[in-house]
Amino acid sequence: MKHFFLLTTCLLVLTACTAAQTSVPAASPAPTSAPAPTEAPAATPTTVPFSVPAPYSDLSYLPELSWDAAHQKQTYQPGEYDRLSLNTYSFNDRTVLAGAEEETAALLEAGRDPGLGVRSLQARSITGQGVNVAIIDQPLLTDHPEISDAIVDYYDAGGYTDEGTMHGPAVASILAGKTIGVAPGAHIYYAVTPGTADSRPYADALHYILALNDTLPESEKIRAVSVSANPGDASFFENAGLWQAALSDAEDAGLLVLTVQGASAGSARLVPGLAAFDPAQRDTPAACRMK
């Protein structure tokens, strides 16, 4: 009986202890530091896809044109230009086409050659030496080394600017440029017009040339006048009649005046046509193709 009582007491104590342990909540585990935030994956650099310049693109490096992003790129790596299109690109001697330096240098040199056998004529001293011609065109910078020695007179017929433009320098340098001109020995009497659709400045310029010609000795007279416009077109130019009158005076004086409409001097008539020479036969006039 005594053993039974002790056993029962022990069971009751064990049961009470078990109940006590169950009723008391277990101690919370010690707090741990917050997990470090997951690091964001490194951003994949975005590259702007580069478009290989199409044939006939202008790749000229012109850093002075700060507003023109198209001409801020100087060096093109292989894969950033089309090697088969080199002869169609416009570029200057500051443009670098990496891997094609010799080819681009050769193209620049070839571009100075007018073709059509002109260089062979110059080799025979046929350079237009001493021949006086006139140009009526937009303003140019007369101190440019390509044409500075050729300009002997500069008359402003209404250019209204001291800045150079694109067209006049191109015409003057093709005519009498020191390194690229067809007739580098010629002298140029240059008359500036504003390039507007008004024939009055053109007529004034032509009358100035005629008056100047009257003062020159016979051997030094102006032989021809280049006008890259058609001031006689009344549908486009105001005061076209003034040009027609000036042109008539020039014809009476025997002066050859060339415009985009053609050329005339007395009964002689010339009609211009656009043509392109074959680069592979640049010195063969017969290989020219009409446009």
Side-chain angles (χ1 to χ4, degrees), residues 156-168:
D156 190 346
Y160 311 122
T161 179
D162 294 329
E163 298 180 359
T165 56
M166 178 279 294
H167 199 273

Side-chain angles (χ1 to χ4, degrees), residues 32-95:
T32 58
S33 58
T38 304
E39 185 176 348
T44 303
T46 57
T47 56
V48 178
F50 183 85
S51 177
V52 175
Y56 301 99
S57 294
D58 186 353
L59 308 184
S60 302
Y61 177 57
L62 302 170
E64 58 271 21
L65 301 183
S66 58
W67 65 89
D68 187 358
H71 294 101
Q72 295 302 301
K73 187 174 179 64
Q74 180 176 19
T75 302
Y76 294 79
Q77 298 297 333
E80 293 184 332
Y81 63 89
D82 181 2
R83 203 180 191 99
L84 297 178
S85 298
L86 289 181
N87 66 332
T88 71
Y89 292 143
S90 295
F91 56 90
N92 55 25
D93 56 4
R94 293 180 291 181
T95 307

